[in-house]
Amino acid sequence: MKVRRPGGGPELSSTTRFGQGGEVLRRPRYRGRAVRNVRVENLTEALTALSADELRTFVADALDRLDEGPRADLEDLLIQRASRSTSGWKPAAPTEAVITEARAFADAARRVGQAEPSEADRYLRHALAASLAGNHVSARAVFEALLEPIGNGDIHLGQHEMADEVLSVDLHECLRHYAAAVYVTTPLDGRPDALIEALDAVEGLGALNDPLAEIEETFGGGLPDIKAFVPRWISRLERDAPTGEQWESTHERWRRLAIGRWEGLPGLARMARETKRVVTASAWCDALVAAGDWAQALRAFEECAALVGDEDARGGFLDGAALAAQRLGMENAAERLAAAWRGAPSLPRLLRWLLSDAPTSATVRARAGTALAECPTQAHTLIGLLRVLTGKVAEAAQLLAKAPGLGWSRSEHPGPVLFSAFAWLLGGTAPSPDQEEPQSPAMSGPPPPAPALEDVLMHTEGADSVSPADREAMLDAMKAAALRRTEAVLDKKRRAHYAHAAALVACCMVNEGTDTDAPPPWLETLRTRTARFPAFRRELHAALHEARRLSSGRGEPSRRGMQRPEPG
């Protein structure tokens, strides 16, 4: 659609809008599906082929094609990158008149309680330019005048919640340069107090995770007086009363990072024993792993597992101990995997232990029997799988038949594991349980890999040994679970899960060995009850079509709708 510009003029596209004065304001050109989500091939080669002058011309032309927001971001990044280059170039520092004007603007805005965000943007960029040019006194003056009142609400810029909704300048970069300016312009003895006071004052705009590291990055290298400053910094942070909570405060995090920088591994070990915090203990263990000292890491993981009170964290530390034992080639790695399973039961930990040390089928069944006898959890997922592995199939089927229709994505729900296990035992195909182990708070890296469910099911006696009674119990439980899942998602209008429910129904058809052209009464009843849900009927039709393809042997079924759903 075309529209006329106010006051006449050429036609403009419907993506064009006008400002209060009639000026043209461009909307983003690409929306939704029109945005390309892949990178151009040979981009690196194309950039390499350009000479320096050609590349400069290209960047200038590209900037002219951008909307104001992206252009401002790219310009800021370009100036910062150039000021830290080996060329020695620095941007021109703003004049004293500009600095005075910025402070006057801040005073006036504080008096009236509001300001135009574009003006605040302009003066904050002046402060960034002053910092990059090495004029830290002027930069600090402007940052102090603007950042604190904007952060605590004394100057309102028209935002709904956060100031970065209306500012185009990078506020995190402003905070970093403000901290750097405070560091440089404050005498050594008063520097820790001044830095803490400045960062606390602008907490409403954001926080620096590690002030010393970020200030170093701002300067592109080492800091002056850093060796004299760090002990003073730690001493000042230690004066703050500890929270006593499991989650550390901002000042406690700064102290931990500073001690790790100053004292290294001994300091982290001391803090872990003092605080008994998961994050502190994890920092100690992670540092040992990063150093490749697996012997010390093993002892640290074991000690931290005894220190912390959180079960998930304890399991993560026990996982780390088992991984360290494996790296060291120790013979008791299986015992450590068993300890991790008992300390924090989960499906991945159970599978790791059951299949450790390349066991025989008899060993797997014996371990499963031991685990079931001393089961440290009431989770039906794990109890049901252990019952399957120990031959108590009918008892496992009872757990699946009684499982709720919602909550299939929860780790304790028996549906994903038992439904898949029964389908495997019946010789059919089922959705993968796809129960990924959540990231443990005790380990920053990925957990040790866990075997697949099918790997442990290979150690059962298989479909040939399933008795008619067990087969009937499994099929009845699968149909009950599929129907209950269908009723639940339809009742709650969980349209995103219709495909999953339909796939479960189709899976029952495949494993039951029923001719889908002559459906059984239970499926006809389901079709009648779901007649008011055309979206589900479409998903069911597609899933049953896959079932026909499978039963006729013309191809493998797709896994459309068979993946683990989102929570619900």
Side-chain angles (χ1 to χ4, degrees), residues 71-144:
R71 175 178 181 132
D73 292 341
L74 190 55
E75 286 177 346
D76 291 343
L77 183 60
L78 181 61
I79 291 174
Q80 293 164 20
R81 186 69 61 86
S83 66
R84 295 168 187 163
S85 67
T86 57
S87 67
W89 176 88
K90 300 294 180 184
T95 64
E96 285 299 322
V98 172
I99 301 301
T100 302
E101 181 184 334
R103 299 178 73 171
F105 166 80
D107 291 340
R110 194 195 296 261
R111 284 195 300 272
V112 299
Q114 61 183 1
E116 175 62 34
S118 61
E119 289 296 301
D121 249 345
R122 183 164 67 91
Y123 289 120
L124 287 173
R125 282 196 166 87
H126 282 313
L128 282 174
S131 177
L132 292 171
N135 188 351
H136 299 292
V137 174
S138 297
R140 178 175 180 177
V142 177
F143 282 137
E144 280 182 341

Side-chain angles (χ1 to χ4, degrees), residues 100-413:
T100 302
E101 181 184 334
R103 299 178 73 171
F105 166 80
D107 291 340
R110 194 195 296 261
R111 284 195 300 272
V112 299
Q114 61 183 1
E116 175 62 34
S118 61
E119 289 296 301
D121 249 345
R122 183 164 67 91
Y123 289 120
L124 287 173
R125 282 196 166 87
H126 282 313
L128 282 174
S131 177
L132 292 171
N135 188 351
H136 299 292
V137 174
S138 297
R140 178 175 180 177
V142 177
F143 282 137
E144 280 182 341
L146 284 173
L147 291 178
E148 180 177 352
I150 292 174
N152 60 29
D154 290 342
I155 297 177
H156 185 62
L157 300 177
Q159 73 271 23
H160 292 291
E161 294 183 0
M162 306 298 292
D164 57 7
E165 297 171 7
V166 294
L167 293 175
S168 65
V169 69
D170 188 339
L171 280 177
H172 185 78
E173 197 67 24
C174 290
L175 296 180
R176 289 174 52 179
H177 282 268
Y178 179 36
V182 171
Y183 183 95
V184 172
T185 59
T186 306
L188 180 61
D189 289 337
R191 193 176 295 162
D193 285 314
L195 190 55
I196 288 176
E197 181 180 352
L199 292 176
D200 286 349
V202 297
E203 190 176 14
L205 296 176
L208 301 184
N209 181 64
D210 185 353
L212 299 186
E214 300 219 36
I215 293 173
E216 279 185 332
E217 187 176 348
T218 299
F219 283 107
L223 292 177
D225 304 325
I226 186 64
K227 291 185 177 179
F229 173 74
V230 173
R232 289 173 169 83
W233 177 244
I234 294 173
S235 177
R236 170 59 185 84
L237 292 171
E238 286 177 342
R239 294 208 307 266
D240 296 332
T243 62
E245 301 293 335
Q246 183 58 231
W247 299 105
E248 62 184 3
S249 67
T250 300
H251 289 189
E252 288 170 331
R253 182 181 71 249
W254 293 348
R255 173 175 171 260
R256 170 174 58 81
L257 293 170
I259 288 177
R261 166 195 288 259
W262 188 249
E263 300 181 30
L265 291 170
L268 292 175
R270 174 175 56 82
M271 285 197 69
R273 297 181 180 113
E274 288 176 357
T275 65
K276 296 180 173 61
R277 282 197 179 105
V278 173
V279 64
T280 309
S282 298
W284 176 30
C285 295
D286 288 345
L288 288 168
V289 171
D293 191 345
W294 288 103
Q296 291 295 330
L298 174 59
R299 287 188 280 271
F301 278 124
E302 290 177 332
E303 182 177 349
C304 291
L307 281 176
V308 301
D310 181 76
E311 181 180 285
D312 289 338
R314 185 185 308 115
F317 288 122
L318 292 172
D319 286 340
L323 177 62
Q326 289 177 334
R327 289 297 186 94
L328 293 171
M330 301 177 67
E331 296 181 355
N332 63 346
E335 297 176 9
R336 296 181 185 279
L337 291 170
W341 142 254
R342 297 186 185 99
S346 70
L347 178 61
R349 293 189 179 105
L350 176 61
L351 295 178
R352 288 189 201 109
W353 171 46
L354 291 177
L355 297 181
S356 60
D357 294 343
T360 63
S361 296
T363 301
V364 171
R365 289 194 290 270
R367 289 176 178 174
T370 301
L372 186 60
E374 57 182 29
C375 192
T377 179
Q378 297 301 314
H380 287 179
T381 299
L382 304 177
I383 294 175
L385 177 59
L386 291 173
R387 286 178 177 176
V388 170
L389 295 176
T390 54
K392 301 176 181 179
V393 175
E395 296 180 15
Q398 293 177 5
L399 296 178
L400 179 60
K402 297 177 181 178
L406 298 180
W408 275 62
S409 62
R410 298 173 184 168
S411 60
E412 66 272 13
H413 196 288

